[in-house]
Amino acid sequence: KKELSPEPVTFLQQTNQMRVALCTSVALGSVLRGSNELVEQGNVTAQQFAFLRSTSNSTGGPPDCGDKYDKLPDFTKEYGATLANTVCTHPGYKSACQVFDDTLQCWFRKMVTGHCDDLPSMFKKRNKDLVKSCNDPDTDHLDIWMNHFTDAEKGYWRNNFKAQADESKLFDTMNKLIPKQLLCATLHIVDDKCVKYDSVRTQEAR
């Protein structure tokens, strides 16, 4: 595996910040339809993400979030609260994850309401490698998609999340800004049996 930099932490921090800034600029350009709002290069603030989120649902309908938490098992809300902290570990992405946490919760509730279309848990087979990939800044969302999603899970994603993202700017923008984190969260939810635990499992219970 090639070395990205003699100082990987500094390099990756800069790369992640630039990527988020670029994605935000593209998303803003699409969402605001030509507005001259600019994202400061390499320094995307929580306020800018909040502004993006507030405008991202200005076109298209609201996403289908499934049942509210009060109609789901008691521990479901507790599990949902652990998602962002589990998958949003890379420098430069924490602000985006914080701002889009409600949208991530919406997708989570949608999955749980539909029982993930009865997709089987792959926890024992892939959890160790999945956690490693999700925590590794060297891997991107395409690595997660190509190396960890099964064909059935890809079909589920296209039929459920992607179909909603085509209609909801809120889902579409989240997918643009935190694609890897979103895919990792999706697989954790499936592997946690959609869901039967009160927090994301990152290792086998002893």
Side-chain angles (χ1 to χ4, degrees), residues 104-131:
L104 182 61
Q105 299 290 321
C106 172
W107 170 234
F108 166 59
R109 281 167 37 209
K110 171 67 174 176
M111 290 184 67
V112 175
T113 299
H115 305 288
C116 297
D117 282 3
D118 295 322
L119 288 169
S121 171
M122 303 289 288
F123 181 87
K124 290 186 177 181
K125 183 176 181 179
R126 72 178 167 204
N127 182 68
K128 184 177 180 179
D129 290 337
L130 176 63
V131 170

Side-chain angles (χ1 to χ4, degrees), residues 146-166:
M146 297 300 296
N147 298 323
H148 295 287
F149 270 71
T150 66
D151 289 342
E153 289 163 346
K154 289 178 179 177
Y156 172 79
W157 173 267
R158 294 188 183 103
N159 292 333
N160 290 272
F161 184 89
K162 191 65 172 66
Q164 286 218 66
D166 290 340

Side-chain angles (χ1 to χ4, degrees), residues 123 127 131 200-206:
F123 181 87
N127 182 68
V131 170
V200 178
R201 293 185 298 169
T202 55
Q203 61 184 0
E204 187 75 59
R206 296 180 179 179

Side-chain angles (χ1 to χ4, degrees), residues 64-81 83 102 104-116 156 189 193-198:
D64 176 9
C65 298
D67 289 336
K68 294 183 179 180
Y69 277 122
D70 59 5
K71 293 185 178 180
L72 297 172
D74 292 342
F75 56 80
T76 307
K77 188 172 184 178
E78 296 175 19
Y79 183 98
L83 275 172
D102 286 347
L104 182 61
Q105 299 290 321
C106 172
W107 170 234
F108 166 59
R109 281 167 37 209
K110 171 67 174 176
M111 290 184 67
V112 175
T113 299
H115 305 288
C116 297
Y156 172 79
I189 294 166
K193 303 180 182 179
C194 205
V195 291
K196 294 187 177 180
Y197 305 90
D198 59 9

Side-chain angles (χ1 to χ4, degrees), residues 4-206:
L4 288 182
S5 166
E7 297 180 359
V9 174
T10 300
F11 176 80
L12 289 169
Q13 285 177 336
Q14 293 173 345
T15 301
N16 285 335
Q17 290 174 351
M18 290 177 66
R19 181 178 182 278
V20 172
L22 177 60
C23 288
T24 305
S25 298
V26 172
L28 276 171
S30 172
V31 171
L32 300 178
R33 296 180 177 178
S35 170
N36 61 358
E37 292 289 339
L38 298 177
V39 177
E40 184 179 352
Q41 183 177 2
N43 186 27
V44 183
T45 66
Q47 288 80 7
Q48 288 168 325
F49 278 125
F51 175 70
L52 174 58
R53 185 182 185 280
S54 69
T55 58
S56 64
N57 208 28
S58 59
T59 58
D64 176 9
C65 298
D67 289 336
K68 294 183 179 180
Y69 277 122
D70 59 5
K71 293 185 178 180
L72 297 172
D74 292 342
F75 56 80
T76 307
K77 188 172 184 178
E78 296 175 19
Y79 183 98
T82 69
L83 275 172
N85 287 337
T86 301
V87 301
C88 299
T89 59
H90 299 346
Y93 284 85
K94 290 187 180 296
S95 293
C97 288
Q98 289 171 359
V99 170
F100 281 90
D101 185 56
D102 286 347
T103 313
L104 182 61
Q105 299 290 321
C106 172
W107 170 234
F108 166 59
R109 281 167 37 209
K110 171 67 174 176
M111 290 184 67
V112 175
T113 299
H115 305 288
C116 297
D117 282 3
D118 295 322
L119 288 169
S121 171
M122 303 289 288
F123 181 87
K124 290 186 177 181
K125 183 176 181 179
R126 72 178 167 204
N127 182 68
K128 184 177 180 179
D129 290 337
L130 176 63
V131 170
K132 182 178 179 181
S133 295
C134 289
N135 289 335
D136 184 358
D138 288 351
T139 66
D140 62 14
H141 65 288
L142 293 178
D143 293 309
I144 304 300
W145 178 259
M146 297 300 296
N147 298 323
H148 295 287
F149 270 71
T150 66
D151 289 342
E153 289 163 346
K154 289 178 179 177
Y156 172 79
W157 173 267
R158 294 188 183 103
N159 292 333
N160 290 272
F161 184 89
K162 191 65 172 66
Q164 286 218 66
D166 290 340
E167 301 294 330
S168 168
K169 278 294 182 182
L170 201 54
F171 267 36
D172 181 56
T173 306
M174 177 172 66
N175 192 35
K176 283 185 172 74
L177 291 179
I178 52 171
K180 177 183 176 182
Q181 290 75 12
L182 182 56
L183 293 178
C184 286
T186 299
L187 292 187
H188 277 305
I189 294 166
V190 171
D191 287 350
D192 288 338
K193 303 180 182 179
C194 205
V195 291
K196 294 187 177 180
Y197 305 90
D198 59 9
S199 63
V200 178
R201 293 185 298 169
T202 55
Q203 61 184 0
E204 187 75 59
R206 296 180 179 179

